[in-house]
Amino acid sequence: MTEEKKVSNFIWDIIDEELAEGVRSSVYTRFPPEPNGYLHIGHAKAIYINFATAERYGGKTNLRFDDTNPTKEDEEYVDSIQQDIHWLGYEWDKLCFGSDYFGQTYRYAVELIQKGLAYVDELSAEEIKEYRGTLTTPGKPSPYRNRSIEENLRLFREMKEGRYQEEEMVLRAKIDMESPNIVLRDPVLYRILYASHHRTGDEWCIYPMYDFAHPLQDAIEGVTFSLCSLEFENNRAIYDWVLDNLDDFAVTRPRQIEFARLNLENTVMSKRFLKNLIDNGVVDGWDDPRLPTLCGLRRRGVTPQAIVNFCEAIGISKANSEVEYALFEHMVRDDLKMKAKRVMAVIDPLKVVITNYPEGKVEYLPVSNNQDDETMGSRQVPFGREIYIEREDFMEVPPPKYHRLYLGNEVRLIGAYFIRCNEMVKDESGRVIEIRCTYDEKTKAGSGFKERKVKGTIHWVHAPSALSCKINLYEPILLDDEGDGKDYMDRINPDSLKIMDGFCEESLKEAEAGEVFQFMRNGYFAVDSHNDPKENLTFNRTVLLKSSFKLPQKG
RNA sequence: AGGGGCAUCGCCAAGCGGUAAGGUAACGGACUCUGACUCCGUCAUUCGUAGGUUCGAAUCCUACUGCCCCCGCCA
């Protein structure tokens, strides 16, 4: 038995330690999205970390919607978020809502007041800001800070009863107005909001702030490790303060651990930016294949396994970093390699007439669906006198080491014959519109022909039977940030989508929406789910195949 | 009157006082009915910098430097 060295990370090290020392005996995590947008690949990392951590220790993970701000959240997203998590292949233990705990949260606030640890403040928002001080100067106490417990209790109850207007007063924790950590300068615990909540309706007019609600949600659910991103490091102090001061959680409480969120090259995940792209019609919705949203990636043909593998590969650490897009692409290809059927399609067609092939004759040639996995079977592909090849597979003036077609050169057609190029036909403008070749019957695929070799092998489709299709070629939605500080909207790539009219082999008439194919020698392409493939066959390029072939640089 | 974090190969990232894993990228080469895949090889005498402790330091100490986060009644 080979000892596989389990690569760890700082979070699992901490857990190993706590488990070893008996600080706790089990692991429970949670993924707590705010239902205010669609999930993207950055969320996928958080989802992975939470679920993978629980899995590693035989624990469980809750899905909890952090819906404590009715002015920002929407029911619409609750369903899509669940769908996307399922799509990634994860199953949560309990489905929870922060709003389920509004009652308990309220009672815990009362407990803090009773302990003299919270007070109702009537300072205005501006005044609170003023009193808070700055990064380098201490704050000062609110004049309302030392009200009696009874008065605080009464006022807080009246807040809940709707006796006051929004912004008239808030409940604040009484901690330390001089703390070097600004989060601890009497943070607001509850604010008044006359907004209808998607689950609790108008039952409440006061809503807890994240800093108060989150530790309670975790603790109530029995979460042991509250894994979140780096920007919450300062908030850990209030997270601990809340739980330390409540009797119910005096003994054991969850531990918050922060990790660096994902940054991907040429990708922006901010909701504001994504929404901007959609609102301005730059893309056609949350599931546009150019977006890093999970629904966008899905429509592009990216598999959930590729995303999970990617999350695993990038690791977990506290260092702010940006991952190259190439790593993501590698994971996509790697997962599709053995899963996708390999077929032939021509994206930028050039007509080829095989002059010595009988007119009208059609033969069906067997082609393997995936030569790395013969269990995927084969199909019969029609071949005849007129075919299309990729325009870039012919050159009038071939550069050095060009193995494809040019006058006098011979190549192999995948699954068919060798053909030799004899002449080309141009239109008035001098553009090559057709080439004429001859084939050698002896070289038929599977015949074992070995008399001579050919350096190039190209793909093709039989012209009369080929299916017309639209092929969407995608480039990054953002241009490189030359220099820096450029606004995202100024970096939008005007050529992020190129629509091609191509041809694919007729076997693709059976293709189903969402299905992903390898177009041999080109890349992976997914049947677009917004169009009925029977009526408007459209492919979205998932990712290019790698290629070591480079046309010599000119100039 | 500031506090909290982070710095290891182009990009991620292990490493936890015993002499720099792995992935990706790149570059060679083999193979090939995909210039793909696969396979083989190359790729940090060095861990932000400068000192110190030690037989021995990426790991410990000190001082610098750089970057990120925090002054919402957002999360």
Side-chain angles (χ1 to χ4, degrees), chain A residues 273-377:
Chain A
F273 175 73
L274 295 176
K275 199 158 184 318
N276 226 325
L277 291 179
I278 294 163
D279 292 346
N280 290 321
V282 179
V283 298
D284 68 18
W286 287 100
D287 65 347
D288 188 288
R290 286 166 290 183
L291 264 24
T293 50
L294 295 183
C295 50
L297 294 170
R298 182 191 306 140
R299 190 173 158 206
R300 185 156 174 167
V302 171
T303 56
Q305 192 60 54
I307 293 172
V308 171
N309 292 346
F310 172 71
C311 291
E312 189 172 15
I314 58 178
I316 305 169
S317 76
K318 295 191 73 148
N320 287 309
S321 60
E322 182 174 80
V323 179
E324 286 182 339
Y325 201 76
L327 178 59
F328 180 64
E329 291 186 315
H330 171 264
M331 293 300 164
V332 174
R333 283 188 210 104
D334 188 56
D335 188 57
L336 251 13
K337 183 168 63 194
M338 301 303 286
K339 290 179 177 169
K341 264 199 193 170
R342 301 173 186 181
V343 299
M344 291 194 281
V346 171
I347 293 173
D348 186 11
L350 174 63
K351 191 174 184 184
V352 176
V353 177
I354 299 163
T355 53
N356 61 338
Y357 195 89
E359 242 168 292
K361 177 179 173 183
V362 178
E363 60 181 316
Y364 283 81
L365 304 164
V367 177
S368 172
N369 288 329
N370 185 329
Q371 43 276 79
D372 292 328
D373 178 9
E374 289 307 330
T375 66
M376 286 177 75

Side-chain angles (χ1 to χ4, degrees), chain A residues 339-519:
Chain A
K339 290 179 177 169
K341 264 199 193 170
R342 301 173 186 181
V343 299
M344 291 194 281
V346 171
I347 293 173
D348 186 11
L350 174 63
K351 191 174 184 184
V352 176
V353 177
I354 299 163
T355 53
N356 61 338
Y357 195 89
E359 242 168 292
K361 177 179 173 183
V362 178
E363 60 181 316
Y364 283 81
L365 304 164
V367 177
S368 172
N369 288 329
N370 185 329
Q371 43 276 79
D372 292 328
D373 178 9
E374 289 307 330
T375 66
M376 286 177 75
S378 64
R379 64 195 185 283
Q380 298 294 121
V381 178
F383 178 78
R385 189 171 202 262
E386 292 192 359
I387 62 174
Y388 292 114
I389 65 166
E390 212 67 69
R391 180 164 286 277
E392 63 173 24
D393 286 338
F394 169 82
M395 287 200 110
E396 190 175 350
V397 186
K401 293 196 188 144
Y402 186 77
H403 301 150
R404 284 110 96 149
L405 239 28
Y406 48 89
L407 254 26
N409 195 230
E410 188 175 46
V411 300
R412 180 199 302 278
L413 295 177
I414 290 176
Y417 303 92
F418 287 9
I419 58 170
R420 185 181 302 278
C421 179
N422 304 307
E423 50 182 314
M424 57 187 166
V425 181
K426 294 182 176 179
D427 63 12
E428 310 79 48
S429 67
R431 176 179 156 93
V432 178
I433 53 168
E434 177 184 315
I435 61 173
R436 302 175 77 82
C437 301
T438 48
Y439 85 116
D440 180 349
E441 196 172 2
K442 295 194 301 295
T443 61
K444 185 172 180 172
S447 66
F449 178 81
K450 285 210 173 63
E451 267 96 282
R452 63 179 189 279
K453 289 196 168 178
V454 99
K455 282 202 169 151
T457 300
I458 66 172
H459 58 98
W460 53 277
V461 295
H462 175 56
S465 65
L467 269 31
S468 304
C469 55
K470 287 261 188 289
I471 302 173
N472 296 141
L473 305 182
Y474 300 108
E475 297 291 336
I477 190 84
L478 280 187
L479 264 6
D480 286 333
D481 187 9
E482 324 130 350
D484 44 346
K486 248 185 167 178
D487 188 81
Y488 292 135
M489 294 311 276
D490 295 331
R491 282 174 57 197
I492 291 175
N493 180 359
D495 304 312
S496 61
L497 168 63
K498 197 168 169 191
I499 303 174
M500 307 291 289
D501 289 302
F503 294 105
C504 61
E505 57 174 82
E506 67 171 1
S507 72
L508 260 28
K509 64 177 187 290
E510 309 291 347
E512 289 169 28
E515 201 173 355
V516 185
F517 297 90
Q518 180 191 119
F519 287 176

Side-chain angles (χ1 to χ4, degrees), chain A residues 108 111-112 115 212 216 242-250:
Chain A
Y108 286 125
E111 181 180 337
L112 288 180
K115 287 175 170 167
F212 186 51
L216 294 177
V242 168
L243 298 178
D244 286 346
N245 286 293
L246 261 10
D247 297 344
D248 283 357
F249 313 113

